[in-house]
Amino acid sequence: MQFKYDFIKRLVLTWDPYYTKLTPKELERVVAAENGEYINAEDIDWEV
């Protein structure tokens, strides 16, 4: 069982080491926020 867990974990880490993927639109908004702009809390889908 441990082998299966470790194997799947390695696959996930290889695919996405930070467990996150952004859509192009999300990336654009994050970059804008990092450059001094902000993201409106009402635009965030808190259910994800």
Side-chain angles (χ1 to χ4, degrees), residues 22-36:
L22 298 175
T23 65
K25 181 69 174 175
E26 290 170 330
L27 180 58
E28 178 183 308
R29 294 175 75 193
V30 168
V31 170
E34 290 176 342
N35 290 325

Side-chain angles (χ1 to χ4, degrees), residues 4-21:
K4 291 178 184 178
Y5 172 79
D6 291 337
F7 181 75
I8 292 171
K9 183 177 176 182
R10 284 180 43 200
L11 286 176
V12 169
L13 287 173
T14 299
W15 177 74
D16 185 6
Y18 301 107
Y19 294 104
T20 58
K21 292 286 182 187

